[in-house]
Amino acid sequence: MKTQIAILSMFLIFVLAAPSNVYAQSQLQNYFSDIATKVKATENPVEKRQILNDSFLNMSKALDKIQNSGLISENDRMDFLHLKITLQENQNELAGLNGYERVSDTQLNNFSNYVVQSMEQADQTITISLIAAILILILIVLIV
Amino acid sequence: MLINYIRFIISTKYSLLLRGTGCVVLALFLCSCGANLPLQNKTLQEDKDLSATKYSIIFFIHGDGNYAYHDNNGNELNADEVTLENAIKVAEQNPNAEVFIFHQKPRMHFLFFFPLRDGEFYYYRNGKLIANETYWRDKEISNFDLEAEVYNSLKVNNNQKMINVFLYFGHEIPEYGGTDYDESYPDRAFTVHDLASVMKLFANNFSKFDLTVLSTCYGGTPFTIGKLGRFSKTIVASPDNLHLSYFDFHLMARLDINLQDGDVPAFAKRFAQKAFNKLTNDVQTTVSVVVYDVDRVQNYLHSINKVYDQTLNYLKEETQISMTKIEHCDCADIPAYKLPEMNEGIEVFFRSARFGRLKNKQKHSGWECWKYESLNEQPKN
């Protein structure tokens, strides 16, 4: 089903030639939304914590690899930096590091929503390019 | 003979196919290069019951960017599409209002070559759809003459004092710079100044809107309220971040009941309270909704105008060399802005984010400012 949706999305992008950065950004949001769905579907708080932590780590690793590859533009580099700082802050709060109060077991579902919603604010958006977003998603799949 | 006949059939078929394709391409090309008419009268309906119209509402919905968000069940939604759907419901449920909806969509091309219209407007009068057309907004500078022309050509003029409301939904509107606001037109700038110009064009006949709702992040800055306050008596805005699910505006439906007494400031407070309740229930991020009584905040705005302008001028110069860390913050965190009159004329509804560094912040002044830190110098404000 997911493959069909992906193929259909690519087809629509080709036929209607939509702006690609919008698509790229929503793919990253979808990644964290899927993580939130997994967290909520899991009963055990230890597993919930593990899912969240792995998602932050995998995304950070993927960003590092792409940054070091030299395949991205200067604009993407700045947005990557911003995204990496946010991921690190989330990771610290989850574990209670660097001055953060540790997220309690009962709040993990809400925290997973917070991670998604903090990327969905009506502020000036991060505009990661389509190529960079695709590279991130491919690398996350390879890392996992 | 038979071979010649088959060749004839094939060549005829190909010829027809080629001609057909050519016609389609030509038609698409002509459609895409059509005249830039604001109104083609295709859908214009007659409605003679103009005296019943007491309220005039304008929805400006920006959708040319990333407006995707997820609800708590993981369903992906588009903020501009959800807002459009709700705006249409408001329009249909208002028996005494005219409602203009302008939807700014991403520029798209059919088969990469044929541009599609990237603006659409709807006009409802007393609950009935009067006009719905698409238009081009592919201009080099932010210019809303076309929308204003549509508005002025359709707006009811029934010699009654109408209550005028303006609502804007979109990403944070920059106070300076402003390029990249439209995903499809990255070189075109859109700033608070441009939005104020739009409001000026629309408010031509009545000088000031009774109510403006700014559904964006960081709308409650002294600069933004000062600029938009020239064309509005009351403003509802979010000084801090705002989730893309935006302010709930169901209270705009049935204004004949919800605003029966004509008390717009009281209505604005009920609107803000309802929007706040809905957001605090749905999101874990910061929620801030503030009602600004424009006349009563002038004292504060005049007191801090000079220092705010100095900050903006500094930021305009500094961002050119990217050596400054710039952030939004509560004006109350900066001594120069923390004046006794800062609480006058505002009603603040605030809840901090449930997580993050500021989760224990108890209150917000209702005003958002800039703080910046030069990487070469001491921190400045």
Side-chain angles (χ1 to χ4, degrees), chain A residues 62-81:
Chain A
L63 291 173
D64 281 339
K65 279 185 196 283
I66 298 165
Q67 264 184 315
N68 295 334
S69 71
L71 288 170
I72 55 166
S73 68
E74 194 54 38
N75 280 349
D76 278 340
R77 203 173 294 280
M78 292 303 290
D79 289 334
F80 271 37
L81 187 67

Side-chain angles (χ1 to χ4, degrees), chain A residues 28-48:
Chain A
L28 294 183
Q29 289 169 215
N30 284 345
Y31 170 75
F32 282 109
S33 177
D34 289 345
I35 296 295
T37 306
K38 276 184 200 166
V39 168
K40 283 179 242 175
T42 307
E43 289 292 320
N44 187 340
V46 178
E47 283 176 33
K48 283 176 190 279

Side-chain angles (χ1 to χ4, degrees), chain B residues 238-298:
Chain B
S238 171
D240 208 302
N241 258 319
L242 174 66
H243 186 252
L244 280 169
S245 50
Y246 292 143
F247 295 152
D248 176 280
F249 58 89
H250 284 94
L251 217 55
M252 287 286 166
R254 294 308 306 260
L255 285 181
D256 56 322
I257 296 168
N258 295 327
L259 189 49
Q260 197 174 12
D261 58 3
D263 186 346
V264 176
F267 172 79
K269 281 177 196 168
R270 290 199 300 277
F271 179 95
Q273 178 74 68
K274 196 162 188 288
F276 176 79
N277 292 347
K278 176 84 168 56
L279 279 165
T280 48
N281 198 39
D282 291 350
V283 302
Q284 304 295 317
T285 46
T286 309
V287 181
S288 63
V289 191
V290 178
V291 183
Y292 301 86
D293 178 334
V294 173
D295 279 346
R296 291 183 59 213
V297 299
Q298 290 307 316

Side-chain angles (χ1 to χ4, degrees), chain A residues 35-142:
Chain A
I35 296 295
T37 306
K38 276 184 200 166
V39 168
K40 283 179 242 175
T42 307
E43 289 292 320
N44 187 340
V46 178
E47 283 176 33
K48 283 176 190 279
R49 211 173 278 280
Q50 193 64 48
I51 293 167
L52 281 163
N53 198 46
D54 288 350
S55 73
F56 300 142
L57 276 175
N58 293 336
M59 179 68 87
S60 289
K61 278 184 198 167
L63 291 173
D64 281 339
K65 279 185 196 283
I66 298 165
Q67 264 184 315
N68 295 334
S69 71
L71 288 170
I72 55 166
S73 68
E74 194 54 38
N75 280 349
D76 278 340
R77 203 173 294 280
M78 292 303 290
D79 289 334
F80 271 37
L81 187 67
H82 186 260
L83 193 54
K84 271 185 70 179
I85 292 168
T86 307
L87 288 170
Q88 187 60 56
E89 291 285 303
N90 287 338
Q91 215 176 332
N92 287 342
E93 187 160 18
L94 182 67
L97 302 171
N98 202 17
Y100 276 109
E101 188 185 331
R102 187 173 187 260
V103 177
S104 69
D105 288 351
T106 55
Q107 286 296 310
L108 289 167
N109 286 357
N110 285 338
F111 183 68
S112 69
N113 280 338
Y114 168 77
V115 171
V116 181
Q117 287 164 356
S118 57
M119 293 181 80
E120 299 173 341
Q121 303 291 315
D123 57 353
Q124 292 181 41
T125 50
I126 299 173
T127 50
I128 287 173
S129 67
L130 181 63
I131 291 169
I134 288 171
L135 284 172
I136 294 169
L137 296 172
I138 290 170
L139 277 168
I140 286 172
V141 172
L142 292 176

Side-chain angles (χ1 to χ4, degrees), chain B residues 55-274:
Chain B
Y55 311 97
S56 182
I57 309 172
I58 302 171
F59 284 93
F60 239 93
I61 305 167
H62 187 256
D64 187 4
N66 177 35
Y67 284 97
Y69 72 95
H70 296 80
D71 64 16
N72 287 333
N73 296 321
N75 300 314
E76 188 178 341
L77 304 165
N78 261 312
D80 59 315
E81 285 165 14
V82 173
T83 305
L84 175 66
E85 201 176 302
N86 289 330
I88 287 172
K89 279 184 197 160
V90 162
E92 288 171 344
Q93 290 167 12
N94 259 309
N96 302 112
E98 60 171 355
V99 180
F100 294 84
I101 305 169
F102 296 97
H103 184 201
Q104 300 178 303
K105 301 190 285 187
R107 182 175 56 179
M108 287 176 147
H109 291 80
F110 181 72
L111 293 174
F112 281 109
F113 295 107
F114 307 105
L116 302 171
R117 288 169 196 261
D118 52 8
E120 183 162 14
F121 84 89
Y122 302 78
Y123 176 60
Y124 286 81
R125 191 183 291 154
N126 304 333
K128 283 190 288 189
L129 179 67
I130 302 293
N132 168 214
E133 288 187 22
T134 53
Y135 62 96
W136 302 106
R137 54 179 198 92
D138 52 349
K139 294 176 283 273
E140 284 178 11
I141 53 167
S142 292
N143 176 334
F144 298 90
D145 291 348
L146 196 111
E147 285 87 345
E149 198 181 327
V150 168
Y151 174 73
N152 287 319
S153 68
L154 291 171
K155 184 169 173 37
V156 169
N157 187 1
N158 58 9
N159 296 322
Q160 280 191 47
K161 193 186 176 316
M162 300 243 273
I163 290 177
N164 294 285
V165 181
F166 182 90
L167 300 100
Y168 183 88
F169 298 82
H171 280 293
E172 172 190 0
I173 304 170
E175 296 186 338
Y176 61 94
T179 50
D180 284 330
Y181 194 82
D182 289 290
E183 176 79 25
S184 308
Y185 306 99
D187 295 333
R188 183 168 67 186
F190 182 66
T191 61
V192 170
H193 177 76
D194 294 310
L195 183 64
S197 303
V198 178
M199 291 175 70
K200 187 183 178 184
L201 282 173
F202 285 121
N204 191 28
N205 294 330
F206 48 85
S207 78
K208 278 192 171 193
F209 285 95
D210 296 279
L211 174 63
T212 293
V213 176
L214 191 56
S215 206
T216 69
C217 281
Y218 307 118
T221 70
F223 180 83
T224 303
I225 299 301
K227 284 274 181 197
L228 304 190
R230 291 178 190 173
F231 308 104
S232 189
K233 295 173 190 167
T234 304
I235 299 174
V236 176
S238 171
D240 208 302
N241 258 319
L242 174 66
H243 186 252
L244 280 169
S245 50
Y246 292 143
F247 295 152
D248 176 280
F249 58 89
H250 284 94
L251 217 55
M252 287 286 166
R254 294 308 306 260
L255 285 181
D256 56 322
I257 296 168
N258 295 327
L259 189 49
Q260 197 174 12
D261 58 3
D263 186 346
V264 176
F267 172 79
K269 281 177 196 168
R270 290 199 300 277
F271 179 95
Q273 178 74 68
K274 196 162 188 288

